[in-house]
Amino acid sequence: MMYKNDKNSKGYTLLFAVIVASVTLAIGVSILTISKKEFILSSAARESSISFYVADDGFECAMYQNDQGRFTPTTFNLPWDCGNHGPITYDSVGNTYSFDVHFSGLACAKVTVVKRNSQPYTIVDSKGYNLAWDSTRFCTNTSPKMTERALYAEF
Amino acid sequence: MKKEIENNKGFTIVETLVAITILMIAIAGPLTVAFRGLTAAVYAHDQVTASYLAQDAMEYIKNVRDNNLKTPGRSWLDGINTTSLVCTNLSDNCTVNTLNNPYDTGGGTCGPDCYLYLKSDGSGYTPESGGNKQTQFTRKYYITSTSNPDEVTATVIVEWKNGTVSNAVTLSSQLFNIRK
């Protein structure tokens, strides 16, 4: 009888080892999962500020060009630039002038300026993207990590 | 009966070594995973702080520029990048104290490291060391010109170290001379 009991309790060590290993593994994996999410979240804060500043750059570019009298049918299609790269594409339909502008890195902004004859006389809409620029896809990349921040003004 | 008892006497040295090895792998693996997780969490925490510190300096620089544009007779880059305060390279060691009033004080130079210090009353980060607690973050900015004389690029770099690994958050923005 004594011998039989001893034999039955032998597996307890294995069970205990497996439980301890599983618990530590579960704790480790859960910490890693939480940290990974924190990591993505903190990257989002950084990427979002990059998008915001490129939107602000596009906005300031539009304000500067507005002061230079750029947004008229005759002056808009003349060569001009904001940043060393100049606008990537520009297009005007009636009194709506739009252009894409890239300054550095992968960020770019899509800017639309509307000129009107009554209040508000000018509407500026600038959308900044962090990862949208590369040599083949000008400001149209749709990466899952892309963030957009926009600035809008009427005056 | 005697033989059975002898078999149950205990583990052999080989069995013990195998058991210890398996146990070590089973414990060390998850602990490594947990440690890496914690390291990533510390990095995430620092990166959020660094990106807001960079944004803080950029907003300050833009505010100095805006005040310059509003003030008749002032150069638009007064206090940011002038002949008396040249800030065109990272090695020029220019920084801003965002706790100061941007209208009166622009940027300034800092030591070779340009560490930020946490004010003893917890009211914010300052490049001034006196009585304040040094942090792991350094912050510098520099201005580069473009093909347009009315446009410059402002770059803010916040760097910090995790042990021996250097990390940085870089923020760039264009400044325009829009004076009506």
Side-chain angles (χ1 to χ4, degrees):
Chain A
M1 194 60 188
M2 188 63 180
Y3 168 65
K4 205 182 172 191
N5 271 349
D6 277 351
K7 198 181 180 186
N8 273 348
S9 61
K10 252 190 170 178
Y12 181 74
T13 313
L14 183 63
L15 179 69
F16 187 70
V18 167
I19 288 172
V20 169
S22 309
V23 168
T24 36
L25 189 65
I27 293 171
V29 168
S30 56
I31 290 177
L32 190 69
T33 312
I34 294 169
S35 304
K36 205 177 150 195
K37 283 179 185 155
E38 282 178 356
F39 184 76
I40 293 169
L41 205 63
S42 72
S43 302
R46 188 193 59 200
E47 295 300 320
S48 171
S49 66
I50 290 172
S51 296
F52 175 77
Y53 280 107
V54 79
D56 194 40
D57 293 346
F59 182 81
E60 285 211 15
C61 169
M63 297 295 277
Y64 176 76
Q65 295 298 340
N66 187 47
D67 277 357
Q68 307 285 313
R70 176 68 54 197
F71 301 113
T72 68
T74 48
T75 50
F76 188 66
N77 294 323
L78 298 173
W80 59 282
D81 70 71
C82 270
N84 288 333
H85 298 269
I88 302 159
T89 58
Y90 50 92
D91 186 27
S92 62
V93 180
N95 59 352
T96 303
Y97 304 89
S98 40
F99 59 94
D100 296 349
V101 65
H102 158 253
F103 298 95
S104 61
L106 300 171
C108 71
K110 288 173 117 45
V111 187
T112 305
V113 179
V114 182
K115 298 297 278 184
R116 292 156 45 95
N117 293 324
S118 55
Q119 279 278 7
Y121 294 105
T122 310
I123 299 169
V124 180
D125 183 25
S126 175
K127 292 186 171 71
Y129 303 92
N130 58 333
L131 290 174
W133 192 88
D134 65 40
S135 55
T136 51
R137 290 173 291 187
F138 300 110
C139 224
T140 53
N141 201 348
T142 49
S143 160
K145 288 179 181 172
M146 191 153 92
T147 57
E148 177 189 293
R149 297 284 290 271
L151 285 169
Y152 179 89
E154 297 179 351
F155 54 94
Chain B
M1 190 59 186
K2 199 188 174 209
K3 202 181 176 191
E4 292 286 342
I5 289 166
E6 267 181 5
N7 273 350
N8 283 332
K9 256 187 174 174
F11 292 115
T12 66
I13 187 78
V14 176
E15 281 174 333
T16 314
L17 285 175
V18 169
I20 288 174
T21 310
I22 292 173
L23 203 65
M24 271 178 68
I25 292 169
I27 300 294
L31 279 183
T32 314
V33 171
F35 179 73
R36 288 183 73 111
L38 290 173
T39 313
V42 170
Y43 176 73
H45 170 264
D46 291 342
Q47 183 169 252
V48 170
T49 311
S51 59
Y52 280 108
L53 283 170
Q55 214 168 327
D56 177 41
M58 187 65 83
E59 291 300 323
Y60 186 89
I61 291 166
K62 286 191 175 241
N63 197 301
V64 174
R65 190 276 317 259
D66 291 347
N67 280 323
N68 289 340
L69 292 177
K70 271 166 55 187
T71 313
R74 264 202 208 183
S75 154
W76 72 291
L77 288 176
D78 194 49
I80 304 170
N81 180 31
T82 56
T83 45
S84 55
L85 178 72
V86 179
C87 301
T88 51
N89 282 300
L90 189 62
S91 57
D92 287 331
N93 295 330
C94 291
T95 195
V96 287
N97 185 350
T98 53
L99 299 178
N100 285 343
N101 182 351
Y103 190 78
D104 307 319
T105 340
T109 52
C110 48
D113 292 325
C114 296
Y115 278 107
L116 285 169
Y117 298 82
L118 193 58
K119 292 275 274 183
S120 47
D121 58 359
S123 60
Y125 288 88
T126 168
E128 285 161 13
S129 56
N132 303 313
K133 189 170 168 271
Q134 186 180 322
T135 67
Q136 57 183 326
F137 298 101
T138 67
R139 180 167 67 185
K140 294 179 187 179
Y141 80 90
Y142 60 91
I143 306 288
T144 42
S145 55
T146 69
S147 53
N148 183 349
D150 284 335
E151 178 185 351
V152 295
T153 307
T155 307
V156 176
I157 296 187
V158 176
E159 289 178 303
W160 76 99
K161 274 188 177 177
N162 265 342
T164 51
V165 185
S166 293
N167 303 295
V169 167
T170 307
L171 208 55
S172 284
S173 186
Q174 307 298 114
L175 301 180
F176 287 86
N177 180 9
I178 311 169
R179 199 190 285 267
K180 282 211 165 178

